[in-house]
Amino acid sequence: MPTNSVTLWIQALRAGDDTAAQELWRLYFGQLMQIARSRMASLPCAVYDEEDAAISTFRVLCEKLREGRYPELADRDELWKLMLKMLVRKVGRRSEYEATQKRSASRAPIDSADLSFSDDQSLTVFVAEECELLFCRLNDPNLEQLVLWKLEGYTNDEIAQKMNRTRRTIQRMLSLVRDIWLKAGDDADT
């Protein structure tokens, strides 16, 4: 395995190796900055910018890996997906914060039309990104299929038959999905 292997750097970072963190930083920081810049383009220029978002994302990732979080994380693709997910959440929370600050500063009543997306495409992109983030959290093809069938309107009994499982097993699987997604929401708040 080459010495510049992301997999080795992930393992070394878990063990507290600062050199591994520097290598990952060198490899990914520019990409994180570009994505943060594009996602934050509509936000007002403030003290918190795309560099802050990228730095914060990378810092939190390193802390969590050192704490032993994300034990399933093993390669560059998984690492990139995780960093991207963390960055998107940070930018989203910042956007919400900026919107809250703007509303509280103006104290103007909110018209329901103000809450709508500017076009259908932006809503579609937003929903697709959120769904992708939630599905990434499941990390199990059976749970993903279960959710897809529920979204398509199948009953628990129908899904049990399709998956060759009992109705109670399907209920437990749905409960597991809820727990995973609730934890994802809790993690996003911290």
Side-chain angles (χ1 to χ4, degrees), residues 158-169:
E158 291 169 328
I159 295 171
Q161 188 175 24
K162 285 176 167 290
M163 296 184 87
N164 198 25
R165 306 274 172 92
T166 66
R167 182 174 190 265
R168 180 66 189 127
T169 299

Side-chain angles (χ1 to χ4, degrees), residues 72-158:
E72 70 285 353
L73 185 68
D75 63 27
R76 79 176 45 239
D77 292 333
E78 292 172 2
L79 178 66
W80 178 244
K81 286 179 188 175
L82 178 60
M83 283 193 293
L84 187 58
K85 184 184 336 180
M86 292 170 78
L87 180 68
V88 166
R89 286 185 177 159
K90 281 192 179 301
V91 172
R93 285 194 301 272
R94 188 61 189 195
S95 178
E96 289 171 6
Y97 172 79
E98 294 291 338
T100 300
Q101 293 299 98
K102 187 176 180 180
R103 280 196 304 271
S104 62
S106 68
R107 299 282 186 211
I110 299 173
D111 182 4
S112 62
D114 294 339
L115 298 176
S116 65
F117 285 84
S118 59
D119 62 349
D120 290 339
Q121 186 178 13
S122 62
L123 176 59
T124 302
V125 169
F126 173 78
V127 170
E129 288 172 349
E130 289 300 309
C131 287
E132 183 177 343
L133 290 175
L134 289 172
F135 271 86
C136 284
R137 284 288 192 170
L138 296 178
N139 204 23
D140 180 341
N142 288 323
L143 293 178
E144 291 174 14
Q145 185 60 61
L146 169 72
V147 170
L148 287 173
W149 281 331
K150 282 304 282 185
L151 290 172
E152 290 173 7
Y154 288 96
T155 67
N156 290 357
D157 290 328
E158 291 169 328

